[in-house]
Each structure stands twice: as C-alpha cells, then as structure tokens.
Amino acid sequence: MNELGTKLVTLICALFWGTALMAQEASILGVAQDEYGPVPMLLVELEGDTTLRASTDIDGKFAFAGLSKGSYQLTIRSDIFKSDTLQIKLKDKQKKTIALALKPLAQELDITDVPVDLDDYRSKTVTGAQVVLDEKEVQEQTAVSNHLGDVLEAKVPSMAPSTQSASTFGQGLRGRDMAVFIDGVPQSTPLRGSGRVLRCVEPSNLAELRVLRGASAIYGNGATGGVVEFVTKTPKKEGVQYQGLYNVNLFPLGGASGIGYRSSQQLSGKRKKLAYIANLGYEKTGLYYDGEGDPIPVDPAGQGGTAENNVYNGFFKLNYALNKDAYLEAKYVFYQATQDSDLKTLPGVVGETKAEPYVDDVVGERPPGNINHNASLRYRHYQLFKKTDFSAILFYQDFKARYNYSNFFGSQSYVHSLKFGGRFDFKTVFNPTFKLRYGLDVLTDRTSQELEDGRIWMPRIQQYGMAPFLQLNKDLGEKWNVKAGFRMELVELSIPTFFGVQSVDTVQGGVLSYQAPLFNASLRYRWKSWLTPTLSFSQGFSVADIGRAVRGLSAPSVDALDLKPMVVNNYELGFDGQLKKAKYHVSAYLSTSALGNSYAGWPDVVVLRAPERIYGIELELATPLYKKLSLSTTYSWLEGKVDLDDNDSYESYLNGTRIPPMKLTAQLKYKFSDDFSVFLQGLYVGSRDRFPDSKAVYEGKVDSYFTLDASATRTLWKGSMTLAVKNLLNQAYYPASSQFFNDGGAYVMGQSMHVSATYVLNLATK
C-alpha cells in the first residue's frame, strides 16, 4: 500500500475512535398507544440527515434528543401494527410532543401493506447479528459496482473480500458457507457447490439486502456461516410508476475495450385490489484492466469471470388482495449471464509475474455462465384464526452453471440443480411481548454435474427434506428479552448407480438418511440505551457438498462413504447501543463443528472432514461527525484451526478458502442538501501468513492492500445522476483470493480505476 493509502487509513481510524459529537437542542417526545393502552418495546425510527432509533418504554413513551432544526420522518416499525410515517418539522430549541394511535395490520390490510419478504417475521426472530441494506443503500453501492460480491465485501463484517470474479469460492461468511435466498426461496446448491450463489438476481430489483451472521438452522440446509437474503421490490403506490436505469462505465486505462453499460426498465402500479411490478434489464461488461494498465484474465482462477459478459434479467410480481385479511402473490425472477470471449489465461509465477490473457478460441466450446429461473406462489392470511397469522409459499428453482473448458477433462462441466419446495408458517401473537412461530419446511433438490460430451462426473443426487420448527420471542418485563427455537432436519439422499469420470468401475448407488435436532437461544438485556448485551447460541446444518465426495469415489458402492452431515455450533456475545446519535455493535463469537468441511488440492480437489474451531470479533459504528457529515465503519478479524488427527490438538490452521485476513471498511458521507450528496468509501484488507514458505494450493501468503471509492449523487430533472469511481487511487494490488490460491493461473491482479455514470429516471401518473 502506498503512502497516501496509509495516511487515509490512519485518518479513518482516527475518526472512528476519536469522534466528538456536537450538542443539539431540539427534541421529540412521544407516546404510542393502541386500543388497549400503551405499547411497550416498539421500534421507532427517525430519519433526517441520519437515521436514529428508539424503543418505547413500559408506558409506551419514547424520546429523541439533541436534534437540529429541519425536516424529519418518524416511522413505526412493527410486524403487528400498521407502519405509519409522520412528517415533522423542527425549529431551533423546539420541544415537540406527539401521540401515536396504532392500528393492527389485520384491521386495514391493503396491497400497500403487503410485507416485502415472505420470511420477514422469520428473520426478526433469529438470534445472530444482522446487517440490513435498504433500497437506497443498495442503489448507492451498485452505482460503484454492480457486483453483489463487492457490495457484501464493503458492508458486511466477517464477509471475506470479494473474489472479483463470478465465483464465491473463497468468499465465505465467518469462515463458513452462506445460504442465499430470494424472498425465502433457496438459491444455494449445497449438494454440489456451484460457486455462483451471488449471480442469481439483478440488484436493481431489490428492496432490501439482509445478512444474518453466524450459523442458523431456521432457514434450513447450508447456513453454517450465515444467511444472505435478497428481498425484491413490491409495488406500493396508486397509479402507474415508471423507473428507468441507464449506466455507462469504463476503465480509463483500457480505452474502448474497457467500456460497459447496463439498463433496466421498470413498470409498477396499483389499482384497487391489484398491484404489479415488472422489470427487464440488460448489461454488457467490457474487458477489465489492472492498476498497471494491462488486461485482466477473463476467468480468474478458472472459477468463472464477469468480464465480457452479456447479462439478461427479468422480474415480475403480481399481488392480489382477496379481502381485508388475505392476499395472493405470484412472482418470477430470471437471470442469465454468459461470457463471450476468446481469451484464455497464461499462468504467472506467484510472487514474481502476474497471470495474463491470451487469444485461444477453443473449437466447439460453449459460452460459460449461468442461468437461473425462480417462480413462486405465496398466500398470506392475517388473523386466520384468533391472534394467528398464516403464510405459505410454493416455489420452483431451475439453476444451471457452465464452466470453462478444462484440459484436465478435455471438456466443459456444468452443475444443474432443480428445486421444488414449500414453506408453511404460523405466527401467534399472544400480546405485544410474546410471539410464537411454528411451521414446516419441505424441499426436493435434484443436483448433478456432467460434462458437455455426455460423461457423468457426479450423478443426479436427489434430496428429500422436511423440517418442522418452533420459535418463540418473549419479553420478560421491560429490560429482558429471550428467544428460543427448535428445528428437526429430516433428510434423505438418493444416489443412483453410476460410472463416473473418476470411477474405476461402476459405483453402486444407495439411500442415505439423516436426522438432526437443532436449537437456538438468545438472552438480551436492555440495560441502558448505550449498552445492551446479548448472549446467544445457534446451530447450523449442512450436507457438506456431498456431491464432491461422491464424484471422486473409487469404492464399488456409496455405502463405503462416511457421509455424515455437518452440524455447526455458534456461541456469541454481543453489545450494542446508542450514545446520543452514535450507534455501535460489538460481537465476539466461537464457531465449532465436530466434522468440518475443507478443501485441498487443485484441479482434483480433496474434501477434508475433521473437527474445526473458528473464532472472531466484529465492530460496527455509525455516527454523525459534524452537521451533515456522517461516518460508518466496520472491523472484523477471525481465525480458524482444524484437528486433522482428531486428538483434540487443533494443530493446523484453516487455509485461505476458509479464513480471510482482517478487514476494515469506512464510509464518509456528506449531504450538502436534499438534492446533492457525496461519499468516500475505504477498504483495507490485512495480511495473513499461516503457512510460511508453503507451495500448497490455498496456503499462500496474503499481503495487505487498500482501495478507495468515491461517489456523488445529484437530483436531476425527474430522477438522479450518480458519478462513481471505484479504486480512486488506481492501486495496483492482488486481491486476497489471488494470493492465497498460491497458483500461477490464479495470480491475477485486481481491477484498476473504474468510472461509471448512472441516471435513474422516475415518472408517475395517478
């Protein structure tokens, strides 16, 4: 990292630890009541230059102090009361009092009240640390980079640095796998990891991006490190609305070949009981260039790339209110990305020369990429019977990922996954302080990996799963809250008889069955507004990429495999609070598994099953600095060890595919007015060297690096224009994944300065 980068990191850290807040004098005092009296433990948000949060006390009262004059929006956040928004204007030193009369959702159900997420109340009952990005924050980040891996890298503690490719191999969450969902529909392929879980939806279709950190069973198979949920938009306004997004981007060092562009056209509206939204989009990416001005290989590490891609996407949602208490929703999401390039990778020498692209058009090669279809039908009924809401969804997903030509096999391989399933949830609200959730998840997953020439690499494995669950959320007086849950995973895997690419002889198939009781619990103490400790325990479950073990089987039968599932225990202690306008969160965690899942070797990857321990810390801070200047920053560090000889010694470190270096992020934002704002965003990735002088794959040393992004947004006519620069300082560096891979073919430099302009046009009729 150069001298300027070092100074910037030092400045940001100083701001992080040494902020002094300006005293303000205006305030808001309020009380929230329903027809039965005061409502305690209710979340109230106040949005101005920054967003402040408060909870009502036992008398339904709340307060916001130290405010400056100006306009504010006050919103009630609740899953049992209607979320009204109140516009407030404050003068200097004004003390404003307000009274809120709350109405249950069931009394006034309308299409505009339809929650954006099937599992909205499911996510509110989990026990881990969460990050939520709203639509505005998603747009802000994707104006800099439309790659969701880059967005998660910048905003989520303990999310490994972006691979800057189409793959998430090496970009885990808290050292383990993340399960990815679109509105509650699973996108991950746990039977045979595709590495394409973030290439499933166009970001402009999102209303929210939610991340749960830590093992969780409440979402089912695969969430051993956490959950990433993409929540799609829902129409809310009367009349017809149009939104057009137009973007052009380029690498200044690359000339015309580095130019890319994207556009999406969205139409939405509501009339009486019917609401709809439709979005069609296209993106063309150019060739990427590094900080030295040279083109980057289009397929970093042989895991798939995002350069020279054609991306087509579609999103359709239809809501219909059956009556004041119930509605139906039909949704379809489509995403297809293919790479149109004649470039291959000339390996470099780790630590000496970088990998470079060269022209070599393979005859008969099909374009690599992936295609994803999602369809779902949802029914939700408020007050199906006394104090109980019901929600159900039936879904279908068809996913296929094709990889580049492999000299190892003399062909291309592809992973194909087909899912059918349903989720059935009941929620009983006995009173505002006691909620109970219970239901059933069912899933059928058929996944295979074959070669384009017809050879079978992994046979079609069929999973039949069922999981009943129970979850409670209870306030114990004014200060204490307890959450607890139970889930019973019942999984059956059917493996057919096959003769695979790596088989010596025909492998006899069979049926494997698993049962896993899983628990979670948390205890939260609201001691002071500035200090709320939380102690939690949760478990995650995974069949641990069973397809990789099956495809490499040399025994005559699958009965020879010791294919036990992976159960992860997550222990966590967290503290959060608000001091004046500054909000923070601190957590320390320990993640254990009696039978982990790691990789070694390349290109013939070996699966290592042994006990593992991962531990780490996370820090988050968001605070105003001065008037319209605000800072948000995160810090995360984790480490992990594995006990390969199973003698409780934990003698070996986990490699780079599992454990990333320390990561520090910071964002400075200045809001000149309601029409104009700018931000600077810094990313510092530390070093990690746990395998000195090792030549083994995935055990390479990672040297630190720093990048800085900038963005400016201004209201322009009927929309807004954003100018953004990624890697503003044009740093020449190697991403963490390029370094720990420890292979010449993966030794690829990071992207250079990347400039983009995005205009969003909004039109509406009544």
Side-chain angles (χ1 to χ4, degrees):
M1 185 170 62
N2 61 27
E3 182 179 356
L4 177 58
T6 303
K7 291 180 179 179
L8 286 168
V9 172
T10 303
L11 174 62
I12 291 171
C13 291
L15 290 172
F16 175 62
W17 297 111
T19 300
L21 304 179
M22 298 290 292
Q24 306 292 337
E25 300 184 36
S27 62
I28 297 174
L29 304 176
V31 61
Q33 296 179 313
D34 65 3
E35 57 185 319
Y36 303 106
V39 179
M41 307 306 173
L42 192 68
L43 178 63
V44 184
E45 287 188 352
L46 186 69
E47 184 174 358
D49 293 335
T50 60
T51 300
L52 304 177
R53 294 180 175 86
S55 295
T56 56
D57 62 18
I58 195 169
D59 297 317
K61 296 179 181 179
F62 62 92
F64 294 99
L67 303 175
S68 58
K69 70 175 183 178
S71 298
Y72 295 86
Q73 287 187 359
L74 187 142
T75 304
I76 297 296
R77 299 295 185 190
S78 172
D79 55 355
I80 61 175
F81 294 108
K82 186 177 180 181
S83 297
D84 288 321
T85 298
L86 183 65
Q87 303 293 331
I88 299 174
K89 287 189 176 181
L90 290 179
K91 300 177 182 178
D92 280 330
K93 302 182 181 180
Q94 181 181 6
K95 292 180 172 58
K96 190 174 186 66
T97 59
I98 57 176
L100 302 176
L102 305 178
K103 297 179 181 180
L105 279 172
Q107 292 184 6
E108 295 203 19
L109 178 65
D110 182 80
I111 283 294
T112 59
D113 300 318
V114 172
V116 296
D117 176 25
L118 167 70
D119 290 302
D120 185 51
Y121 56 80
R122 181 177 293 212
S123 66
K124 291 177 181 177
T125 56
V126 297
T127 55
Q130 298 186 61
V131 172
V132 179
L133 304 183
D134 60 23
E135 182 178 346
K136 184 178 179 180
E137 290 173 303
V138 172
Q139 289 180 351
E140 184 178 78
Q141 289 296 319
T142 53
V144 177
S145 172
N146 201 45
H147 188 347
L148 288 168
D150 294 345
V151 175
L152 294 172
E153 168 191 62
K155 302 299 291 186
V156 181
S158 294
M159 176 68 72
S162 171
T163 65
Q164 299 189 12
S165 72
S167 175
T168 53
F169 185 70
Q171 187 177 18
L173 181 56
R174 287 191 173 181
R176 299 189 187 273
D177 290 336
M178 52 186 165
V180 177
F181 295 81
I182 299 177
D183 296 332
V185 178
Q187 305 300 304
S188 305
T189 55
L191 297 181
R192 174 71 276 270
S194 67
R196 298 289 187 276
V197 291
L198 298 180
R199 302 281 285 175
C200 62
V201 66
E202 161 59 33
S204 64
N205 294 325
L206 301 182
E208 281 188 349
L209 193 164
R210 299 176 180 170
V211 181
L212 167 67
R213 307 195 297 275
S216 174
I218 198 168
Y219 289 87
N221 181 15
T224 54
V227 174
V228 175
E229 182 168 20
F230 301 122
V231 182
T232 59
K233 295 177 179 178
T234 294
K236 292 188 175 183
K237 296 181 180 179
E238 290 282 355
V240 179
Q241 294 82 44
Y242 164 81
Q243 183 180 87
L245 185 151
Y246 309 90
N247 169 277
V248 61
N249 55 86
L250 59 90
F251 288 88
L253 299 181
S257 62
I259 296 176
Y261 51 88
R262 63 186 172 98
S263 175
S264 65
Q265 308 298 311
Q266 177 183 295
L267 198 65
S268 63
K270 174 181 176 294
R271 181 175 175 82
K272 296 182 179 180
K273 296 184 176 182
L274 183 67
Y276 62 89
I277 184 169
N279 188 305
L280 292 173
Y282 172 74
E283 179 179 11
K284 172 67 176 179
T285 60
L287 195 60
Y288 296 167
Y289 286 80
D290 63 30
E292 296 178 347
D294 298 321
I296 297 173
V298 298
D299 181 23
Q303 295 289 308
T306 58
E308 298 195 322
N309 268 221
N310 293 292
V311 182
Y312 301 88
N313 62 85
F315 165 58
F316 308 92
K317 182 185 286 188
L318 186 68
N319 288 334
Y320 183 76
L322 301 172
N323 53 51
K324 69 181 183 68
D325 295 326
Y327 74 89
L328 277 173
E329 176 189 277
K331 183 177 82 261
Y332 172 68
V333 179
F334 169 77
Y335 185 91
Q336 179 179 4
T338 56
Q339 190 171 64
D340 182 15
S341 178
D342 60 358
L343 297 176
K344 300 301 176 186
T345 301
L346 179 66
V349 178
V350 176
E352 297 180 17
T353 59
K354 63 190 177 186
E356 298 178 346
Y358 72 96
V359 177
D360 183 16
D361 193 6
V362 178
V363 177
E365 182 179 21
R366 303 185 65 182
N370 61 275
I371 183 169
N372 191 29
H373 299 272
N374 282 267
S376 64
L377 181 65
R378 179 171 72 179
Y379 173 74
R380 190 159 188 172
H381 196 128
Y382 294 93
Q383 300 293 297
L384 179 64
F385 45 89
K386 189 175 181 180
K387 297 185 178 181
T388 299
D389 299 338
F390 173 68
S391 177
I393 182 173
L394 299 175
F395 60 81
Y396 161 84
Q397 190 220 14
D398 188 350
F399 173 86
K400 185 175 182 179
R402 180 184 293 112
Y403 304 91
N404 279 294
Y405 184 88
S406 168
N407 292 323
F408 188 73
F409 289 115
S411 184
Q412 292 174 269
S413 73
Y414 63 88
V415 171
H416 186 204
S417 176
L418 194 64
K419 298 186 184 75
F420 303 89
R423 296 174 180 265
F424 308 92
D425 282 274
F426 293 89
K427 182 184 68 169
T428 299
V429 181
F430 296 98
N431 57 58
T433 66
F434 182 31
K435 305 168 189 176
L436 188 65
R437 238 188 4 89
Y438 45 96
L440 179 71
D441 288 352
V442 293
L443 175 67
T444 297
D445 184 349
R446 304 172 184 174
T447 301
S448 63
Q449 185 171 19
E450 301 179 21
L451 303 181
E452 288 289 353
D453 59 15
R455 287 178 291 167
I456 296 174
W457 195 0
M458 184 198 88
R460 173 168 289 185
I461 299 175
Q462 299 193 60
Q463 172 188 316
Y464 306 95
M466 179 182 300
F469 60 87
L470 176 70
Q471 189 81 20
L472 67 85
N473 187 338
K474 173 65 177 174
D475 287 323
L476 304 175
E478 183 180 349
K479 298 290 188 180
W480 293 91
N481 173 266
V482 62
K483 297 176 183 178
F486 170 78
R487 180 184 178 98
M488 187 67 184
E489 286 284 355
L490 305 170
V491 178
E492 182 179 280
L493 297 175
S494 177
I495 305 172
T497 298
F498 71 101
F499 184 86
V501 175
Q502 295 174 277
S503 303
V504 177
D505 202 348
T506 299
V507 178
Q508 188 67 35
V511 176
L512 306 174
S513 298
Y514 305 121
Q515 296 183 6
L518 304 166
F519 302 89
N520 70 80
S522 72
L523 184 63
R524 184 175 178 86
Y525 179 56
R526 304 181 184 95
W527 183 45
K528 301 288 185 181
S529 62
W530 54 271
L531 183 60
T532 298
T534 302
L535 182 65
S536 66
F537 168 77
S538 60
Q539 292 182 301
F541 170 87
S542 176
V543 293
D545 202 356
I546 194 172
R548 191 183 290 273
V550 170
R551 77 182 190 184
L553 184 63
S554 58
S557 172
V558 296
D559 294 335
L561 290 173
D562 185 18
L563 296 176
K564 295 180 181 178
M566 178 168 57
V567 175
V568 174
N569 302 309
N570 187 81
Y571 309 87
E572 187 162 350
L573 176 62
F575 301 90
D576 57 80
Q578 184 168 326
L579 186 61
K580 292 188 176 181
K581 292 185 178 182
K583 296 177 292 183
Y584 74 90
H585 175 81
V586 180
S587 61
Y589 61 87
L590 170 66
S591 173
T592 68
S593 54
L595 199 60
N597 190 64
S598 295
Y599 303 115
W602 178 262
D604 189 12
V605 179
V606 177
V607 180
L608 304 177
R609 306 298 307 277
E612 296 174 350
R613 289 178 183 169
I614 298 174
Y615 41 92
I617 57 174
E618 299 169 344
L619 308 174
E620 299 171 77
L621 173 69
T623 180
L625 296 178
Y626 177 75
K627 292 184 178 180
K628 297 182 179 182
L629 178 66
S630 61
L631 167 72
S632 61
T633 184
T634 73
Y635 171 86
S636 57
W637 172 89
L638 63 153
E639 190 53 87
K641 288 191 170 184
V642 58
D643 186 14
L644 294 174
D645 50 14
D646 199 12
N647 63 354
D648 204 33
S649 62
Y650 291 89
E651 71 288 348
S652 301
Y653 285 99
L654 289 169
N655 64 35
T657 65
R658 299 288 303 282
I659 305 299
M662 175 274 284
K663 187 180 72 171
L664 172 68
T665 71
Q667 183 185 85
L668 284 169
K669 187 172 184 179
Y670 191 85
K671 188 175 181 180
F672 289 90
S673 66
D674 291 339
D675 297 325
F676 183 47
S677 63
V678 298
F679 81 77
L680 287 174
Q681 179 171 273
L683 167 71
Y684 176 75
V685 176
S687 60
R688 185 173 188 258
D689 186 16
R690 295 302 190 185
F691 311 95
D693 301 321
S694 173
K695 302 299 182 182
V697 71
Y698 313 140
E699 294 184 358
K701 176 185 176 183
V702 177
D703 291 322
S704 63
Y705 56 91
F706 172 79
T707 62
L708 185 69
D709 307 329
S711 175
T713 301
R714 183 172 183 83
T715 300
L716 183 63
W717 192 50
K718 298 289 185 178
S720 62
M721 172 67 79
T722 300
L723 298 178
V725 183
K726 187 172 178 61
N727 194 1
L728 178 66
L729 305 179
N730 195 39
Q731 296 279 50
Y733 69 99
Y734 289 87
S737 58
S738 295
Q739 299 184 66
F740 74 66
F741 215 100
N742 217 18
D743 179 84
Y747 198 56
V748 176
M749 290 194 75
Q751 296 171 20
S752 67
M753 178 188 293
H754 184 222
V755 181
S756 66
T758 306
Y759 182 66
V760 179
L761 174 65
N762 294 293
L763 301 174
T765 63
K766 295 184 178 179

